[in-house]
């Protein structure tokens, strides 16, 4: 890569451009911008043919499809609907009998550094055994299984086993609380829960099974007939007779073969809950065929995956990134991948760099928030600076989950990529299933902080509130104009909300991403400017402000009212700030601190530690218009510590602004 221009006008207008080297282009699957444009043109001229060719080339179909896109019931699009396949077959069985049979599928590194490897053949045997366990428990095609597991081989095995028997999994991130877990189990109507006794993170043993017990004990989860427990650590946990059994004991009793349940392409592979603008999380439903196609295709395009790569996506399987780029994409593509149980800062903040060296990682995919925290650590402690490790095996870097600021981009490029590795800044969402807008490593000239251009076949655009195209340089609403195979199919149990949230009538039937964006004047490159709804992005995790607000007002002995907003944060991207009206006089000093702490811990207990407000401010009221509407824009200014410049003439109670401007 070479820096063809050096001037920076400001952080908003970014002029540095990094062209891929001739050697990178030559070796790439999509080699150069002309090749990229040719694929885009193919998709434009023959949309269905473009997707049909990809689907036939990349997936094994037990029954080939004859229809490609079915638009008869928009926006409930269907892809390859009369085709039949199995996701687990495509990820595992089809590598057997090929040179990939004995290839390492997963290099697992535990929190304490212990390494375990499994080949494709060994992984298939485990998946079959666990699929047989599920079947023995009576789990059938179409049943939902909740997976509440640490980052382990067994977590991937549980997902693949569900896919194998046609059960629809719903993975719940291990950081969610009992209440959040209960809501998801209940909404999905799960028949079984797969969990572990504990998880190991940063040298600490954290409970999982106890939280499952608590969730199931809350009532409303009567659909759950079995709980299968992976014994991650030797510590004993309560086991409910007749309901709970150990994964290893059950698996030992089962054969290592299990025929796949062939399903229709539209069969729901999984449901994954994500935050929206209301208090209730949305169960994003993905289909089998289209989803798997795109998970695999983007491995080949965005990461330019080669057979000898060692791929590492650091995301947890509890998020979409861990679905598409840990549990499905790498396996469908036959890659060797690293799965890491721990955290980037344990035993020290050099852990990622040490692991890249140790496992000779070639493609590294992580979140800006991790990069920013590791920059901070390296700045304060030489010993954890990446220069202490040999990172020369790396060839491609990736970023995901939130906008990456140009400073962090430059550090990542220089200190991790050795000014040699392209950075693919991949914009996508739980709902999109796979990458949407991203550079291609062997084609796209890179601009720090920009996710550049849509992938071939993906028709993103920036429009105004009526769906009219905006000219380059002018910000607007990010939409996708045409459907794509890995798109969300519906919100589990709530098709009306699906239509309303993603295909609002004003927008001409376009898919509404929920983000604002702007295209650069010169190249038409996309830059994401942030969510346009009441959704925050904290450390790459999506959080609804309403969810946090309803958790806060749930503390009925203390809280009368609460409003939550985001504030820019150097490390976490956005930080949560809560404005709270207590059912008692405004506290000061130590008392204010104690109550703020109590509320923070309450939110952690209600939703999970990721939802803890960074700051809580107290006031005797919230700023409201005369009609009673909370003025959130005003709160956002206050949270940032900005002077309030907005018009406050409609404000019912201007004096409370002073109270709320102060941190306690
Ligand atoms: C939201 C989706 C994509 C998987 C992880 C998050 C933001 C995601 C980027 C990026 C700027 C990004 C958007 C999006 N986002 N990637 N490369 N640049 N913003 O999935 O939890 O569904 O969140 O994350 O705001 O809407 P998610």
């Amino acid at each position: 890569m070479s820096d063809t221009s050096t001037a920076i006008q400001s952080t908003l207008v970014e002029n540095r451009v990094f062209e891929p080297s001739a050697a990178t282009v030559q070796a790439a699957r999509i080699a150069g911008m002309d090749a990229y444009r040719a694929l885009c043109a193919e998709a434009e001229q023959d949309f269905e043919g473009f997707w049909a060719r990809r689907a036939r080339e990349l997936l094994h179909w037990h029954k080939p499809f004859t229809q490609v896109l079915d638009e008869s019931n928009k926006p409930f699009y269907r892809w390859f609907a009369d085709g039949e396949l199995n996701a687990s077959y495509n990820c595992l069985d089809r590598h057997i009998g090929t040179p990939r049979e004995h290839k390492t599928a997963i290099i697992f590194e535990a929190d304490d550094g212990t390494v375990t490897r499994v080949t494709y053949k060994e992984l298939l045997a485990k998946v079959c055994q666990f699929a047989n366990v599920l079947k023995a428990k009576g789990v059938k095609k179409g049943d939902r299984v909740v997976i509440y597991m640490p980052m382990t081989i067994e977590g991937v095995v549980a997902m693949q086993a569900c896919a194998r028997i046609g059960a629809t999994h719903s993975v719940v991130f291990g950081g969610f609380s009992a209440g959040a877990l209960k809501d998801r189990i209940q909404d999905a109507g799960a028949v079984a829960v797969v969990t572990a006794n504990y998880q190991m993170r940063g040298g600490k043993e954290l409970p999982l099974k106890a939280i499952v017990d608590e969730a199931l004990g809350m009532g409303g989860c009567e659909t759950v007939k079995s709980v299968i427990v992976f014994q991650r650590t030797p510590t004993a946990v309560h086991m409910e007779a007749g309901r709970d059994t150990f994964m290893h004991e059950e698996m030992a009793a089962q054969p290592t073969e299990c025929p796949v349940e062939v399903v229709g392409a539209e069969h729901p592979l999984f449901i994954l809950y994500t935050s929206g603008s209301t208090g209730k999380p949305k169960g994003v439903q993905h289909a089998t065929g289209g989803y798997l196609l795109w998970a695999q295709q983007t491995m080949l395009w965005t990461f330019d995956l080669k057979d000898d790569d060692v791929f590492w996506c650091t995301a947890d399987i509890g998020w979409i990134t861990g679905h598409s780029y840990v549990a499905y994409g790498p396996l469908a593509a036959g890659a060797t991948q690293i799965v890491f149980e721990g955290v980037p800062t344990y035993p020290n903040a050099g852990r990622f760099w040490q692991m890249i060296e140790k496992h000779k990682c070639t493609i590294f995919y992580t979140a800006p928030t991790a990069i920013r925290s590791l920059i901070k650590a390296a700045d304060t402690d030489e010993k954890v600076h990446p220069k202490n490790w040999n990172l020369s095996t790396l060839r491609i870097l990736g970023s995901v989950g939130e906008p990456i600021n140009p400073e962090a981009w430059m550090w990542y490029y220089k200190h991790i990529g050795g000014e040699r590795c392209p950075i693919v800044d991949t914009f996508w969402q739980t709902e999109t299933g796979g990458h949407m807008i991203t550079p291609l490593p062997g084609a796209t000239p890179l601009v720090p902080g920009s996710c550049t251009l849509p992938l071939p076949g993906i028709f993103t655009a920036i429009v105004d509130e009526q769906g009219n195209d905006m000219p380059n340089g002018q910000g607007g609403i990010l939409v996708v104009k045409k459907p794509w195979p890995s798109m969300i199919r519906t919100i589990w149990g709530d098709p009306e909300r699906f239509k309303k949230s993603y295909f609002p009538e004003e927008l001409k039937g376009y898919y509404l991403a929920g983000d604002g964006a702007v295209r650069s004047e010169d190249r038409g490159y996309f830059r994401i400017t942030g969510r346009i709804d009441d959704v925050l992005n904290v450390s790459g995790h999506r959080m609804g402000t309403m969810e946090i607000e309803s958790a806060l007002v749930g503390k009925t002995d203390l809280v009368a009212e609460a409003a939550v907003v985001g504030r820019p944060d150097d490390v976490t991207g956005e930080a949560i700030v809560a404005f709270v009206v207590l059912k008692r006089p405004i506290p000061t000093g130590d008392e204010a601190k104690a109550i703020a702490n109590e509320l923070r811990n309450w939110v952690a207990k209600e939703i999970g530690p990721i939802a803890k407000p960074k700051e809580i401010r107290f006031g005797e009221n919230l700023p409201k218009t005369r009609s009673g509407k909370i003025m959130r824009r005003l709160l956002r200014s206050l949270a940032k510590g900005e002077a309030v410049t907005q018009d406050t003439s409609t404000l019912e109670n201007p004096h409370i602004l002073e109270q709320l401007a102060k941190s306690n």
Side-chain angles (χ1 to χ4, degrees), residues 274 320-321 399-404 425-431 451 513 515 528 530-531 537 540-542:
T274 191
I320 190 68
T321 312
S399 172
V400 60
E402 51 184 316
I404 180 165
D425 175 1
T426 60
F427 168 83
W428 58 296
Q429 311 176 294
T430 304
E431 294 86 343
C451 51
D515 284 287
I528 307 300
R531 298 287 307 192
N537 192 324
H541 300 318
R542 228 162 110 172

Side-chain angles (χ1 to χ4, degrees), residues 586 617-621 655-663:
I586 298 178
R617 293 189 194 173
F618 302 110
E620 63 195 37
N621 206 336
H655 74 282
I656 56 129
L657 293 184
E658 258 166 70
Q659 286 172 355
L660 296 173
K662 282 182 287 213
S663 310

Side-chain angles (χ1 to χ4, degrees), residues 397-563:
L397 301 176
S399 172
V400 60
E402 51 184 316
I404 180 165
N405 49 308
E407 298 71 31
W409 194 101
M410 286 308 302
W411 189 90
Y412 196 29
Y413 185 70
K414 192 164 169 214
H415 296 286
I416 308 305
E419 299 183 12
R420 171 188 81 246
C421 307
I423 298 176
V424 290
D425 175 1
T426 60
F427 168 83
W428 58 296
Q429 311 176 294
T430 304
E431 294 86 343
T432 69
H435 302 152
M436 299 297 278
I437 310 179
T438 175
L440 296 168
T444 319
L446 305 174
V447 171
S450 167
C451 51
T452 73
L453 296 168
L455 284 164
I458 303 295
F459 291 83
T460 50
I462 297 175
V463 299
D464 66 14
E465 266 147 34
Q466 286 76 46
N468 304 309
D469 285 298
M470 299 292 284
N472 288 355
Q474 284 186 36
I477 301 169
L478 181 67
V479 296
V480 190
K481 289 189 168 179
K482 290 187 188 191
W484 65 102
S486 68
M487 69 194 298
I488 174 177
R489 292 304 191 266
T490 187
I491 292 174
W492 179 259
D494 201 346
E496 272 312 306
R497 188 173 176 199
F498 165 76
K499 276 206 266 186
K500 270 214 221 100
S501 315
Y502 302 111
F503 297 92
E505 267 161 33
E506 323 78 82
L507 285 184
K508 300 184 176 171
Y510 301 156
Y511 167 84
L512 172 68
D515 284 287
V518 57
R519 302 185 69 160
S520 66
E521 307 248 23
D522 51 349
R523 296 169 184 268
Y525 276 9
F526 287 79
R527 187 166 59 79
I528 307 300
T529 51
R531 298 287 307 192
I532 52 171
D533 50 11
D534 291 322
V535 170
L536 305 181
N537 192 324
V538 183
S539 300
H541 300 318
R542 228 162 110 172
M543 294 297 325
T545 53
M546 291 260 288
E547 273 170 86
I548 307 170
E549 286 163 9
S550 53
L552 282 167
V553 297
K555 184 109 184 80
T556 48
D557 56 330
L558 258 181
V559 179
E561 226 182 334

Side-chain angles (χ1 to χ4, degrees), residues 148 172-173 175-181 183-184 275 279 281 542-552 600-612:
Y148 188 61
V172 177
F173 175 59
F176 277 117
S177 69
L181 177 61
D183 290 344
R184 288 157 175 78
S275 296
R542 228 162 110 172
M543 294 297 325
T545 53
M546 291 260 288
E547 273 170 86
I548 307 170
E549 286 163 9
S550 53
L552 282 167
R600 285 161 43 80
N601 292 334
W602 170 264
V603 173
K605 212 186 148 298
E606 286 294 292
I607 305 175
I610 51 170
K612 266 192 186 183

